[in-house]
Amino acid sequence: MAAERMAEGAGQAPPARTLDAVDRDILRILRANGRASIRAVAEQVHVSRANAYARINRLVEDGVIRGFSARIDHERAGQGASAYITLKIVQNSWRTVREQLQALPGATHIALVSGDFDVLLLVHTPDNRALRELVLTRIQAIPEVLSTRTLLVFEETELGHGPDRGADLA
């Protein structure tokens, strides 16, 4: 329910409170296993179940935890072609472009960046034909998109989800 309120009022989360060591440990555990039970989390961080439950709820309400999801092997899920697509866009059109990119099938990550291009988009499609169609008929048809460049992904290694990858939360 808190996640639904966050989605409806995006950007209206209360100011985040400072995270302590227990909060960071909870985040590390949930990044490694988003399905960990409250009981398991409480045992691993040495707090009561009620305390762990309250902390996780607070982390959700504060927007620190944005949701829980499954990590997908895109190739095994029928999405055999992956690509990063860079876009140059009309100045001050980010919000409009972002809304249109979010609606694209297979779009999994969108970032406004600095450098030689403005937007970095990660997409997964069934094959190269579908990727080509996505780029040529959907993305390049967005009026605010000035140019694109497609970088095919040959192999991926996902970082940050193993139990030994918690250092980035400290």
Side-chain angles (χ1 to χ4, degrees):
M1 189 160 75
E4 291 170 342
R5 286 195 305 269
M6 288 298 300
E8 292 173 359
Q12 298 176 4
R17 293 168 261 207
T18 303
L19 301 182
D20 63 15
V22 173
D23 292 329
R24 287 190 299 275
D25 284 346
I26 289 171
L27 293 175
R28 179 184 47 75
I29 292 164
L30 293 176
R31 284 188 69 177
N33 179 9
R35 296 179 65 176
S37 69
I38 297 291
R39 179 179 169 182
V41 170
E43 287 174 359
Q44 290 179 57
V45 299
H46 309 292
V47 298
S48 69
R49 279 186 278 176
N51 188 337
Y53 181 81
R55 283 173 177 266
I56 291 170
N57 277 345
R58 179 179 49 83
L59 291 166
V60 170
E61 288 173 4
D62 284 356
V64 175
I65 295 175
R66 297 183 303 194
F68 299 87
S69 63
R71 294 189 312 266
I72 307 298
D73 181 321
H74 295 283
E75 190 168 354
R76 291 180 64 95
Q79 302 290 301
S82 297
Y84 285 97
I85 303 168
T86 66
L87 295 82
K88 288 186 181 181
I89 61 173
V90 172
Q91 189 172 10
N92 297 322
S93 65
W94 163 242
R95 287 179 181 84
T96 302
V97 171
R98 179 182 59 200
E99 287 177 21
Q100 294 176 73
L101 295 176
Q102 286 173 324
L104 293 175
T108 60
H109 185 83
I110 304 166
L112 179 66
V113 297
S114 65
D116 293 337
F117 49 88
D118 304 305
V119 178
L120 182 63
L121 171 67
L122 175 60
V123 298
H124 303 282
T125 61
D127 53 36
N128 284 341
R129 179 181 299 242
L131 176 61
R132 183 184 71 224
E133 289 300 312
L134 182 70
V135 173
L136 296 179
T137 64
R138 300 283 302 269
I139 296 172
Q140 290 183 353
I142 298 171
E144 297 84 1
V145 173
L146 301 173
S147 67
T148 64
R149 175 171 280 165
T150 302
L151 308 165
L152 291 177
V153 175
F154 296 126
E155 186 175 317
E156 294 181 86
T157 301
E158 194 169 316
L159 303 176
H161 295 289
D164 59 338
R165 301 283 305 172
D168 59 341
L169 298 175

